[in-house]
Amino acid sequence: MKLRRADLTPPQRAGFRGQFTSATEKDSRTMNAMVGENIREARLAQDRSLADVAAKAKISVATLSRIENDKQSVDLGLFLALAKVLQVSIQQLLGDHGDHGNSDPLARKIATLPPKERQELWRDLAAESRTVRVKKRGGERQVGQQVEELLAQVDFLREELESIRKRMKKR
Amino acid sequence: MSSSKRGHVLIADSDASIRGLLSAIVQRLGCEPVVAADGRAAAELIEAKTFAAAVVDLHLPQMTGMELLHVVARTQPELIPRTVVTTTGRTEREGQLKDVAAVLRKPFSLDDLMAELQRCGAAAG
């Protein structure tokens, strides 16, 4: 089975980053602080403004900004409204990556691929990315997107390396 | 606390999205959520299973949260001080809730709920 970059929608590609602050990473922080950060990261991953998200969630821009910056607590109703507006799961906003039942199906599929097939997939993605860069050279926005994509790949690779390091430590 | 050590947490709320959110929070605390959409289903669970903590909404269909608390008091009295009650506005029967861990009025914050559940977990441990 081969999965290609073209199969991925922008939110799916963003999903590879694992961009949401993880519960285990920041257990010492308050839930509100972590949720605020995850809301901001989800919003920025979709290139959406504070005003856009706030309007859809029927709150003021100031309220959303205060939530994102841990200046205001998030109540249950508002949390659910923001998850709906941002089209992300409750688990993602809570920073819980452990519940794979609600993660992106394509990401789950890729995660279960044998290492060799995943290698091929990443090579295909890199090759296709190079082709796209050659075709569409120029434009600050494209460069910005490429940087975002590379950062996502770095995040993924960092997690992979960490997992390998842990496995080696156990042996 | 690890998930297996912390055990099951009953979540009784008629709102599916609230049940989903409470379940995610309970899982984040390392516990196993067991959900019920109405009071009768929650009572059946209480009679069949031992819980480490519970989150009970007072406004449940089939059997009210207050009636459910009577079932808890009869079958698992040790669960009462580890039960967080949620409600909309003030309740006339607040006096009857003095033994529960906490009464949270909607809309309560995620941090308030987390703090109360952690307190329940600590009491259970």
Side-chain angles (χ1 to χ4, degrees):
Chain A
M1 182 196 72
K2 274 203 169 187
L3 291 164
R4 293 181 177 277
R5 186 174 178 275
D7 298 331
L8 312 181
T9 61
Q12 285 171 333
R13 283 199 292 271
F16 283 119
R17 278 191 68 184
Q19 74 273 39
F20 297 102
T21 304
S22 150
T24 48
E25 283 164 23
K26 301 193 175 176
D27 267 345
S28 57
R29 302 179 53 198
T30 66
M31 176 72 101
N32 282 325
M34 193 172 58
V35 165
E37 195 168 318
N38 286 333
I39 288 168
R40 185 178 59 243
E41 286 177 1
R43 178 175 64 75
L44 293 176
Q46 297 170 27
D47 280 334
R48 293 173 73 178
S49 66
L50 275 170
D52 171 36
V53 174
K56 295 244 162 46
K58 294 183 177 136
I59 54 173
S60 71
V61 171
T63 300
L64 181 56
S65 174
R66 283 198 299 269
I67 288 169
E68 287 190 358
N69 292 293
D70 191 26
K71 298 277 189 331
Q72 181 174 328
S73 62
V74 191
D75 67 58
L76 265 68
L78 189 48
F79 177 93
L80 291 168
L82 286 166
K84 196 174 172 187
V85 167
L86 291 165
Q87 295 177 305
V88 292
S89 71
I90 289 168
Q91 283 78 10
Q92 278 174 302
L93 279 195
L94 291 177
D96 181 4
H97 300 300
D99 188 353
H100 298 293
N102 291 302
S103 62
D104 186 284
L106 188 59
R108 286 207 303 276
K109 210 168 181 180
I110 292 170
T112 55
L113 288 176
K116 201 171 175 183
E117 280 190 39
R118 261 197 298 176
Q119 267 175 33
E120 278 180 38
L121 173 66
W122 294 125
R123 283 192 184 125
D124 285 348
L125 281 168
E128 193 154 342
S129 181
R130 274 195 299 275
T131 316
V132 171
R133 271 204 299 275
V134 170
K135 280 183 187 166
K136 298 180 178 178
R137 196 152 274 179
E140 256 177 54
R141 190 174 168 79
Q142 279 164 19
V143 174
Q145 283 171 348
Q146 283 164 14
V147 169
E148 280 295 304
E149 201 172 331
L150 283 171
L151 286 173
Q153 286 174 18
V154 168
D155 281 352
F156 175 81
L157 289 172
R158 191 183 297 135
E159 279 183 25
E160 287 282 282
L161 284 170
E162 182 61 20
S163 140
I164 292 166
R165 194 184 63 79
K166 278 182 187 162
R167 282 206 302 272
M168 285 177 75
K169 214 172 176 181
K170 276 184 190 167
R171 284 180 187 172
Chain B
M1 61 190 183
S2 74
S3 65
S4 52
K5 281 178 190 164
R6 288 210 165 179
H8 296 92
V9 174
L10 174 71
I11 295 164
D13 199 299
S14 58
D15 185 324
S17 54
I18 298 281
R19 286 198 303 276
L21 176 52
L22 295 180
S23 295
I25 290 172
V26 163
Q27 279 175 328
R28 192 188 177 283
L29 286 170
C31 299
E32 188 70 37
V34 179
V35 298
D38 62 69
R40 193 158 297 161
E44 283 169 13
L45 286 167
I46 288 285
E47 282 168 355
K49 203 174 181 77
T50 305
F51 290 96
V55 184
V56 173
D57 186 44
L58 281 188
H59 306 282
L60 290 172
Q62 308 282 343
M63 176 190 279
T64 67
M66 201 61 89
E67 287 167 330
L68 178 62
L69 288 173
H70 287 301
V71 176
V72 175
R74 195 183 70 241
T75 55
Q76 289 187 52
E78 67 284 359
L79 185 57
I80 290 286
R82 286 186 266 124
T83 297
V84 176
V85 170
T86 63
T87 180
T88 310
R90 295 193 76 80
T91 167
E92 299 161 1
R93 304 163 86 179
E94 202 119 325
Q96 294 178 33
L97 297 170
K98 60 184 189 312
D99 294 328
V100 298
V103 179
L104 295 177
R105 285 177 189 82
K106 291 178 183 173
F108 47 85
S109 79
L110 298 179
D111 272 348
D112 289 344
L113 180 64
M114 285 285 280
E116 293 305 339
L117 283 174
Q118 272 171 328
R119 214 157 56 87
C120 290

